[in-house]
Amino acid sequence: DIQMTQSPSSLSASVGDTVTITCRSSQAVSNYLHWYQQKPGEAPKLLIYGTSTSQRGVPSRFSGSGSATEFTLTISSLQPEDFATYYCQQSFTIPQNFGQGTKVAIK
Amino acid sequence: QVQLQESGPRLVRPSETLSLTCTVSGGSLSNIYWTWIRQPAGKGLEWLGRIYPSGSTNYNPFLKSRVTMSIDTSKNQLSLNLKSVTAADTAVYYCARESNTGWHAVEYWGHGTLVTVSS
C-alpha cells in the first residue's frame, strides 16, 4: 500500500493569510493526487484533482502543485469559509488511500 | 446533478453483517467507478473499495475477506456488505462516485450514514 502523510496535522491561521499543506506519498503516484475539503458534519468536497486542476466552482485561491511523492495545497488569502479539514488522496494504485488530514483553524 | 443517498440499519451487533444501500439519482451507474469510504468519529477517511457497473471490484486489503460490494444497474443502487463487524467498524459510511476525467478522484459524495456497532 502507498502511505500518504500530510503535514502539518493542524495549523492556526488568520483571514487573509496564505496557507500551505504538504502531502507526501511513500511511493511515486505520478500526478494521481487529489485534495478535498471537509467541514464538520458534511461530506468531503473535491477541490483539486490530478495534482493541480481545480474542480469547477472552486475559488481560484485554492491551488495545487507537486509531482512524484511530494505535493502541496496552497490557499491564498484565507477566507472564513476555508476553515476546515483538508485531505489528500492518491488514486495511482489500489487501495486509494487518503492522508490523515490537516485541520485549518482560526487563529 | 448526481445525488447519492445511503440507507440501512444504523445499529449493528458485533459479529453480524453491516449492510448498506446507496441509491443514485440524476444519472446512470454506467461507465464509472462507484466507491465506498468510511470515517470513524473524529478520524480520517478510509477508502474501502470500488465497483464498476460490470461488477468488477477493488477492495482495500485491510478489510480482507469481510467486504462485498455489488451493483444493480436496473435499480440504480449500490450495496455494501461488511461481515463479522466489531466496534472498530463504527463509522460514517459514504457512497461516492469517481469523476469521469480519468483521474479517479471522488467527485460526488452521499451525505453519509452513521453506523454504530454495539450490543
Side-chain angles (χ1 to χ4, degrees), chain B:
Chain B
Q1 177 78 350
V2 175
Q3 294 184 316
L4 303 93
Q5 179 65 59
E6 304 90 347
S7 59
R10 304 297 179 91
L11 179 64
V12 181
R13 299 192 186 283
S15 81
E16 295 189 346
T17 297
L18 180 160
S19 296
L20 294 175
T21 297
C22 175
T23 301
V24 179
S25 58
S28 76
L29 301 188
S30 302
N31 303 320
I32 202 83
Y33 279 101
W34 301 85
T35 300
W36 289 93
I37 293 161
R38 72 181 185 185
Q39 185 171 35
K43 297 189 178 181
L45 300 165
E46 295 180 326
W47 187 87
L48 303 181
R50 67 179 185 176
I51 186 166
Y52 199 71
S54 64
S56 173
T57 54
N58 301 111
Y59 298 141
N60 195 320
F62 88 92
L63 294 169
K64 298 182 182 178
S65 57
R66 296 197 298 135
V67 64
T68 304
M69 296 177 186
S70 60
I71 191 166
D72 186 336
T73 54
S74 66
K75 295 182 179 179
N76 257 29
Q77 288 182 334
L78 318 166
S79 296
L80 170 72
N81 285 321
L82 183 63
K83 61 183 181 183
S84 304
V85 297
T86 70
D89 295 310
T90 294
V92 173
Y93 285 76
Y94 295 100
C95 65
R97 200 204 85 170
E98 289 188 0
S99 68
N100 58 5
T101 60
W103 289 103
H104 302 291
V106 181
E107 183 176 9
Y108 295 100
W109 297 71
H111 293 295
T113 188
L114 174 62
V115 180
T116 301
V117 178
S118 175
S119 56

